[in-house]
Amino acid sequence: MITSVLVANRGEIACRIFRTCRELGIRTVAVHSDADANALHARVADASVRLPGEAPADTYLRGDLIVKAAVAAGADAVHPGYGFLSENADFARAVLDAGLTWIGPPPAAVEAMASKTRAKQLLGIEPLTEVTETDLPVLVKAAAGGGGRGMRVVRRLADLDAELAAARAEAVSAFGDGEVFVEPYVERGRHVEVQILADTHGTVWALGTRDCSLQRRHQKVIEEAPAPALPAELDAEVRALAVRAARAVDYVGAGTVEFLVAGGTAHFLEMNTRLQVEHPVTEAVFGIDLVAEQIRVAEGHPLHPEPPRARGHAVEARLYAEDPARDWAPQTGTLHRLAVPDSVRLDTGYTDGDTIGVHYDPMLAKAVAHAPTRAEAVRKLASALERAAIHGPVTNRDLLVRSLRHPEFTAARMDTGFYDRHLAELTEPAPDPHAPLAAALADAGARSRPGFGGWRNVPSQPQTKRYLMAGEEHEVRYRHTRHGLEADGVRVMHADARLVILEVDGVQRRFEVSRHGDRVYVGTTALTALPRFPDPATRHVPGSLLAPMPGTVVRVADGLTAGAQVKAGEPLLWLEAMKMQHKITAPVTGTLTDLCVAPGQQVEPGALLAVVKEAF
């Protein structure tokens, strides 16, 4: 009987496992890096153990330190979560050798499926060994790990070597294993997967299908269960193949078998020997707790001969601290507020006031909606996200809402190329035009008595305030009068620091306002209050390239020096942050007049990287 579980992970998955453990009466132990000393998962556990350092290689990827932590804390079991060491057979063996219970599949099964190349060979599928023009496009993938790390689409043979090198470097950083392989890339395929659960008594459940086709950088963004519009015979085929893969390696516990479906054919991709980020949609549809089932299986309990029946439809959206309009650049800073309507399930490793750092994946939370039909679940999730209060770094929230309402998605005609086709339209700024006025009136209301106030029997000029909204500067004007605050063309019904009510064309609208420093949030619209007199020291010459995030300069383009001629879109240097490399490209065609950084250099957001003078 398991009495105490150490979770060898962080963030939302650790918090989610701890929640189940508490419900089962099991004591919990967290491990945390120095960067996560005050993280939510470390605070909610019954006990926590420090892993000295900040980088994953020094902390969450140190299996020896985690096993020592489990023994020191008196845990009798280890749950790996997902990512980090969750698919590391040596770590699983070390846990078992220490006399602890491993809440996961047998090390031999992990090892058999840990490498995508070996897994394909096990099922009789051989990867490409030599790539020619006729094979293009191809996909470079890391043999270990997942989550889109170490994955590159190659469309020109001349780019293959560089992309192989970049994929190896990213794979080493994320998984400690630089093995990569190449396979054909299917342009308009659907990513379909099957959740499996197996016990030690020979029972294997195939818990329906999931569709995870909406992806950015080959990492899933929106997932749902069951996979919609999947022909019955194909649905049966992938479930049967998933069970066959599990039985081939004597699998035990929860796992996922992934396929690319195109032209009525299912192509095996890989088997993930762990829990998946998107497991909540399966839980919602089948009415089970997969973590609780994992624990029961690890204790030796048998599964029922048949899985429970599926009910309804569930959709999950991953909320990331990233800017989709800027090549998905991850964002950092203080998360002032995260509040989502309780009509949906929210799994998160953050709470108000937490800091989003540079060391780990930028996922803030997962929001999950369940309803009797797909259309209802999609509508429910889109509405909840639209009404959520998310104050802090830029997120992908607006993209998620628009994606869920896009006709291609609502009609279940999506594929893995969805964002390649629609990203521009989905990231087109659409801020509320009344947000700057509401922000100004909230500020004015906060400076006077609640409501209106502030009037003096002296004629005065209109008050003015300036805000930056969606990259554009907006100036608003208002007056204090004996009747309260007034603005041209809008009737001000109420204005205080938190709430502004305006009447526009006979319709009253309520604006909830929140301010954190110079950042103002009016509903879901974010603005930056601009100073009356800008500081000249903060200005940069045209063509300046500023660091979009804190990170490390890992590479500068070969031979690049000041004075070089560059073309718009040409890669100049690469930053590494949040386990991924990000290209910094020339904004215009012209001359590189200044190169301000070198490989190995740490930079903060807004740091000057280079200057390109446009050629006319």
Side-chain angles (χ1 to χ4, degrees), residues 64-218:
D64 56 334
L65 297 183
I66 293 173
V67 171
K68 288 180 181 178
V71 173
D76 52 21
V78 171
H79 193 303
Y82 44 67
F84 296 126
L85 294 171
S86 62
E87 296 179 280
N88 187 302
D90 289 338
F91 177 56
R93 289 192 183 95
V95 169
L96 293 169
D97 289 346
L100 305 171
T101 298
W102 170 248
I103 305 176
V110 175
E111 201 161 54
M113 291 293 183
S115 167
K116 296 178 180 64
T117 53
R118 290 194 292 273
K120 286 176 179 289
Q121 290 167 357
L122 185 65
L123 296 177
I125 305 167
E126 294 293 335
L128 287 172
T129 55
E130 292 186 13
V131 179
T132 66
E133 289 284 353
T134 57
D135 296 316
L136 298 175
V138 295
L139 189 63
V140 178
K141 298 176 71 173
R149 305 292 192 270
M151 195 176 291
R152 298 284 195 281
V153 177
V154 180
R155 301 183 184 278
R156 298 192 316 149
L157 202 57
D159 297 335
L160 181 60
D161 288 344
E163 295 294 5
L164 284 168
R168 288 190 188 101
E170 198 168 275
V172 168
S173 175
F175 316 119
D177 185 341
E179 183 188 356
V180 298
F181 67 98
V182 178
E183 66 182 13
Y185 179 62
V186 179
E187 296 277 5
R188 299 293 296 263
R190 287 178 58 186
H191 189 119
V192 174
E193 59 190 32
V194 178
Q195 174 72 57
I196 59 169
L197 186 68
D199 63 18
T200 56
H201 305 277
T203 300
V204 180
W205 286 357
L207 292 167
T209 58
R210 295 189 290 248
D211 188 292
C212 311
S213 297
L214 265 62
Q215 305 176 3
R216 59 50 163 163
R217 289 180 169 171
H218 312 291

Side-chain angles (χ1 to χ4, degrees), residues 443-469:
D443 187 57
R447 296 173 188 274
S448 59
R449 68 176 176 82
F452 299 97
W455 176 75
R456 294 178 299 159
N457 190 22
V458 178
S460 62
Q461 294 294 317
Q463 302 292 309
T464 62
K465 288 189 178 295
R466 294 162 49 247
Y467 296 92
L468 188 66
M469 180 175 73

Side-chain angles (χ1 to χ4, degrees), residues 23-38:
E23 293 172 355
L24 295 176
I26 296 174
R27 182 172 169 270
T28 59
V29 181
V31 289
H32 66 83
S33 67
D34 290 337
D36 277 341
N38 295 311

Side-chain angles (χ1 to χ4, degrees), residues 573-596:
L573 55 95
W574 286 258
L575 283 180
E576 184 169 273
M578 295 183 177
K579 302 194 292 183
M580 297 191 76
Q581 292 187 10
H582 308 273
K583 284 190 293 190
I584 305 298
T585 61
V588 294
T589 296
T591 303
L592 180 72
T593 59
D594 201 358
L595 181 61
C596 310

Side-chain angles (χ1 to χ4, degrees), residues 6 9 16 50 140 184 186 191 219 282 298 313 320 323 366 375 423 474 524 607:
L6 179 142
N9 219 291
R16 184 263 178 276
R50 173 187 176 232
V140 178
V186 179
H191 189 119
Q219 192 168 35
T282 297
H313 201 95
Y320 286 98
D323 188 347
K366 305 177 307 192
L423 185 61
H474 296 260
T524 60

Side-chain angles (χ1 to χ4, degrees), residues 346-522:
L346 188 74
D347 286 5
T348 182
Y350 291 93
T351 190
D352 296 358
D354 283 353
T355 298
I356 302 165
V358 301
H359 300 288
Y360 314 111
D361 187 276
M363 188 171 72
L364 300 180
K366 305 177 307 192
V368 185
H370 180 236
T373 68
R374 181 178 189 266
E376 291 173 289
V378 170
R379 181 179 64 192
K380 185 177 178 180
L381 183 57
S383 176
L385 288 170
E386 187 175 48
R387 292 183 287 120
I390 307 168
H391 302 162
V394 173
T395 72
N396 67 335
R397 183 261 301 279
D398 292 345
L399 174 87
L400 294 174
V401 174
R402 293 181 184 185
S403 299
L404 290 165
R405 291 174 174 165
H406 192 280
E408 197 171 294
F409 181 80
T410 58
R413 292 185 288 103
M414 63 284 184
D415 56 65
T416 56
F418 180 83
Y419 287 124
D420 293 336
R421 297 189 300 276
H422 302 300
L423 185 61
E425 65 186 88
L426 293 171
T427 55
E428 184 70 26
D432 191 315
H434 294 101
L437 176 59
L441 293 173
D443 187 57
R447 296 173 188 274
S448 59
R449 68 176 176 82
F452 299 97
W455 176 75
R456 294 178 299 159
N457 190 22
V458 178
S460 62
Q461 294 294 317
Q463 302 292 309
T464 62
K465 288 189 178 295
R466 294 162 49 247
Y467 296 92
L468 188 66
M469 180 175 73
E472 295 185 2
E473 188 175 314
H474 296 260
E475 183 177 272
V476 294
R477 296 170 179 266
Y478 61 93
R479 293 175 185 271
H480 288 281
T481 74
R482 70 175 65 204
H483 305 294
L485 291 164
E486 290 187 353
D488 291 342
V490 178
R491 185 181 178 192
V492 184
M493 307 297 294
H494 175 88
D496 63 35
R498 294 178 178 273
L499 177 66
V500 172
I501 304 176
L502 304 177
E503 185 177 285
V504 183
D505 297 329
V507 179
Q508 287 190 17
R509 295 188 57 200
R510 298 169 62 89
F511 298 86
E512 293 186 1
V513 183
S514 179
R515 182 162 185 159
H516 307 278
D518 63 356
R519 196 74 166 162
V520 186
Y521 297 88
V522 180

Side-chain angles (χ1 to χ4, degrees), residues 326-340:
R326 295 171 55 203
D327 195 28
W328 312 96
Q331 307 292 297
T332 59
T334 301
L335 181 65
H336 300 291
R337 190 179 181 201
L338 176 61
V340 176

